[in-house]
Amino acid sequence: MATRRKKRNVGEEEQPKSRINLNPIRRLFGSPQRHVEPYVTNGQVVADLGCGSGYYTLALAECVGPEGWVYAVDLDDEAIRALEKGADRRGYHNIEAHASSASDLSFIKDGSVDFVLANGLLCSMADHRQSAVNEIRRILKPRGQAYLSLGAPPPLGFVGRAEWEKILEDFRVKRRGGSLQKWAVVSTEQQ
């Protein structure tokens, strides 16, 4: 079975017209698998939101193994096609790719995901950020976790300190850090 591709959800957000591929630069800082292994185990269901061409998606697919499942979501059709080609070339059959906004994850069941990776996603969603946060909460299992990071700080990114703290109020914060790029590991567990 090959990577499954779903049609793009048509929403209010525009699809990016160009994409800078940062994957070669990211590789200078270590393997993507090393970054996701602490959060993901064999057989889990995970979601990579803002997956781009699959830098972390393929590492997640390796970590969850053939018994697990990865939802890969990005607004850019071109990035999704590149991800699908890479997954097929490497023989990954546990990835379901969607060209969609993270603010509409209706193709993922409520409470079905063990881990959500939203690395740099929220800083690029000026208009639908809260909807994406709501969707992350909705799809996470009761003991599931999410890794949220902002990417660039203002003025390059759209999320200031007050809004970041407001986003985190909706979750139980397990770990957090970052001076330039704010990040947090969160869950929906009651505090």
Side-chain angles (χ1 to χ4, degrees):
M1 174 170 90
T3 304
R4 293 193 290 173
R5 185 169 197 309
K6 300 295 180 180
K7 287 187 176 181
R8 181 185 183 326
N9 285 347
V10 179
E12 298 174 24
E13 295 177 76
E14 290 294 315
Q15 181 175 350
K17 301 296 184 221
S18 64
R19 172 170 293 289
I20 298 172
N21 186 349
L22 297 177
N23 290 354
I25 295 169
R26 287 181 182 165
R27 286 187 182 93
L28 294 174
F29 300 103
S31 131
Q33 195 159 346
R34 184 190 72 158
H35 295 288
V36 298
E37 279 179 344
Y39 307 108
V40 180
T41 60
N42 192 49
Q44 287 187 322
V45 175
V46 301
D48 185 2
L49 306 181
C51 66
S53 58
Y55 181 73
Y56 287 107
T57 308
L58 299 178
L60 289 165
E62 181 71 26
C63 288
V64 300
E67 300 84 24
W69 197 253
V70 179
Y71 291 100
V73 180
D74 199 280
L75 197 58
D76 185 352
D77 277 321
E78 193 175 309
I80 292 296
R81 283 193 298 276
L83 163 63
E84 291 170 332
K85 285 180 187 175
D88 287 343
R89 190 171 50 251
R90 290 171 181 84
Y92 290 113
H93 305 296
N94 58 348
I95 299 171
E96 185 176 317
H98 293 265
S100 176
S101 169
S103 65
D104 178 11
L105 303 174
S106 55
F107 46 87
I108 302 176
K109 292 181 186 176
D110 294 1
S112 64
V113 175
D114 295 290
F115 179 73
V116 173
L117 177 66
N119 188 26
L121 171 79
L122 298 175
C123 70
S124 64
M125 298 187 73
D127 296 331
H128 303 286
R129 189 174 300 115
Q130 189 57 49
S131 296
V133 171
N134 293 343
E135 285 289 82
I136 291 168
R137 284 185 51 77
R138 181 187 64 76
I139 66 173
L140 271 177
K141 288 182 176 179
R143 293 185 183 240
Q145 297 184 97
Y147 176 89
L148 309 176
S149 75
L150 292 183
L156 301 175
F158 295 111
V159 181
R161 176 180 280 180
E163 187 175 2
W164 176 239
E165 295 303 324
K166 175 109 174 79
I167 289 168
L168 295 180
E169 284 177 3
D170 289 337
F171 297 97
R172 177 176 173 229
V173 178
K174 294 182 153 196
R175 293 181 49 213
R176 65 188 296 171
S179 54
L180 286 179
Q181 180 178 336
K182 303 264 187 248
W183 63 270
V185 176
V186 299
S187 75
T188 57
E189 289 179 291
Q190 296 299 320
Q191 301 206 39

